[in-house]
Amino acid sequence: MNAEELLRLYAAGERIFAGVDLSGVDLNKANLLEINLANANLINANLSGANLREANLSGANLERANLSAASLIHSNLSNANLEHADLNDADLLEVDFSGANLSHANLWGADLSNVYFLETNCTGANFSNTFLVDAVIEGANFQGAQIDTAIFKMPKIRFREIISRYAAGERNFSGFMVESNHFVNDERWKFGQFKGLDLSGIILRNSNIQDIGLYMEGVILRGADLTRVDLGESHFEGADLSNAILRETRIFQSVFEFANLSGADLTRAGLVESSFCGTDFSRANLNKARISDFAFGFSDLTEATFKGSRLKSVQFEKANLTRTDFRGADFAMRNNVCTVKFRDCCHFEETLMPDGSVRSNS
């Protein structure tokens, strides 16, 4: 079943969709002002990797549903039943869970920033490694929940202070809310302001750098640890991120053209609607990454690995795929047509395809 068929049946009065497989579906492309699935029965549904941004799922029954790695940003899940649902690594920014049942749900690694948990049943749920910064939790029941490694608060730090402390030898700035200070003393930052700034080896695990993301053009972050840092709507054109750790990062509508990501670890990262033209991904690890509406045009992917990754609407125009390893990758289909395209790509040499076959131009 595709998105259009689901919404057509719902509009006709159908509410029972138990066990339906909608993995990777993009309901945002249904050309509707509102995705309305209120009170739908989606028990055991597979919605892994689905785009459900701003969807109305209030009162829906999602018991034991698979929503891992799904995007539910700004969605309404008030009074929904998510008992035993799998929401690990889902993007749940500003979701309304008011009155919902999340008992024994798995929310491992989910972004729950600014989420509403008013009177929510979270008993026995797994909140390990989740972001709960600025979440509203009045009346929520967390009895028996795993919340020991959840992040509720972030100390704030100015970027200029990081630069100063880095120069003095400090490297670990994990868990900070990094703020710009370009309005202090009438300073006005410009794009490319920090080109050539060397912050190699800096540790920013679980930090928030969105306030400075537009000014990262040409910054040197060789070997930096950016695990679970949100790089959405950022500008890293020409930046050096070689051998950087970018595990579980979110890169959405960002610019990384001509950046150096050689040897970078992007395991389980989410790459969506971003520009990576001419980027060096040689020897990069993109295993289990979620990549959609994305172009690797003119990029060097020599010996890069995509094992277990999911690619949907991805272009490899004129990319270098020498010894690139796609074994076990999921090339999403749409209407029985593969959405991964290798247009004008002539650099196949010992390229390992998803089925294990070897592809070469010669």
Side-chain angles (χ1 to χ4, degrees), residues 84-349:
H84 291 285
D86 187 358
L87 291 146
N88 90 82
D89 207 25
D91 198 341
L92 302 169
L93 182 68
E94 298 187 17
V95 169
D96 186 358
F97 283 112
S98 299
N101 179 11
L102 281 162
S103 62
H104 304 287
N106 177 22
L107 296 110
W108 185 95
D111 186 350
L112 294 157
S113 302
N114 300 296
V115 162
Y116 285 88
F117 281 116
L118 295 169
E119 305 294 333
T120 304
N121 179 8
C122 300
T123 57
N126 182 5
F127 287 91
S128 298
N129 295 317
T130 58
F131 281 94
L132 283 158
V133 178
D134 294 327
V136 179
I137 60 174
E138 281 81 355
N141 184 355
F142 287 94
Q143 184 176 0
Q146 300 176 49
I147 58 174
D148 53 319
T149 56
I151 299 171
F152 283 90
K153 293 183 179 179
M154 283 180 153
K156 295 180 180 180
I157 188 172
R158 299 277 190 183
F159 187 48
R160 288 291 191 190
E161 182 179 348
I162 286 180
I163 295 171
S164 177
R165 288 164 61 174
Y166 178 94
E170 192 171 347
R171 292 294 179 269
N172 194 342
F173 299 93
S174 298
F176 277 102
M177 177 78 71
V178 182
E179 297 183 315
S180 67
N181 54 340
H182 56 293
F183 295 116
V184 177
N185 299 323
D186 294 322
E187 181 181 11
R188 292 292 183 271
W189 287 6
K190 300 177 181 178
F191 295 129
Q193 171 96 13
F194 299 103
K195 186 178 293 186
L197 174 64
D198 194 341
L199 296 173
S200 296
I202 194 169
I203 301 171
L204 289 161
R205 292 174 64 93
N206 297 318
S207 290
N208 185 320
I209 67 169
Q210 287 186 303
D211 202 29
I212 63 170
L214 288 175
Y215 305 97
M216 293 294 99
E217 179 182 349
V219 171
I220 300 169
L221 291 160
R222 285 192 294 265
D225 188 345
L226 297 163
T227 299
R228 300 192 70 226
V229 173
D230 190 342
L231 301 179
E233 300 178 332
S234 56
H235 195 129
F236 281 82
E237 182 176 357
D240 186 351
L241 290 146
S242 55
N243 299 309
I245 303 172
L246 297 154
R247 297 173 69 92
E248 301 176 30
T249 56
R250 172 180 175 270
I251 301 175
F252 173 70
Q253 292 185 348
S254 301
V255 178
F256 279 75
E257 294 180 356
F258 307 105
N260 183 359
L261 285 153
S262 61
D265 185 356
L266 290 131
T267 302
R268 294 176 64 90
L271 286 70
V272 182
E273 296 179 17
S274 297
S275 179
F276 276 75
C277 180
T279 303
D280 185 355
F281 280 99
S282 58
R283 298 175 288 100
N285 177 356
L286 291 125
N287 296 341
K288 298 183 179 179
R290 307 178 309 282
I291 308 169
S292 61
D293 299 299
F294 196 88
F296 288 100
F298 300 90
S299 293
D300 184 0
L301 290 145
T302 301
E303 297 182 359
T305 62
F306 289 82
K307 296 178 182 177
S309 61
R310 179 175 177 80
L311 292 82
K312 180 181 179 183
S313 299
V314 176
Q315 302 280 345
F316 287 95
E317 183 178 2
K318 296 186 178 179
N320 185 349
L321 297 170
T322 301
R323 294 184 295 280
T324 305
D325 190 347
F326 290 107
R327 285 178 296 178
D330 181 2
F331 286 6
M333 305 291 288
R334 181 179 295 158
N335 298 324
N336 295 319
V337 177
C338 182
T339 64
V340 177
K341 305 295 183 183
F342 297 98
R343 187 163 62 102
D344 296 327
C345 188
C346 58
H347 296 286
F348 289 100
E349 183 178 340

Side-chain angles (χ1 to χ4, degrees), residues 38-60:
N39 301 309
N41 182 343
L42 290 158
I43 292 177
N44 291 315
N46 183 4
L47 292 157
S48 59
N51 185 358
L52 292 156
R53 292 170 64 98
E54 302 182 12
N56 180 11
L57 289 157
S58 61

Side-chain angles (χ1 to χ4, degrees), residues 321 323-327 350-354 356-359:
L321 297 170
R323 294 184 295 280
T324 305
D325 190 347
F326 290 107
R327 285 178 296 178
E350 300 178 23
T351 306
L352 293 167
M353 302 307 288
S357 61
V358 180
R359 182 169 176 176

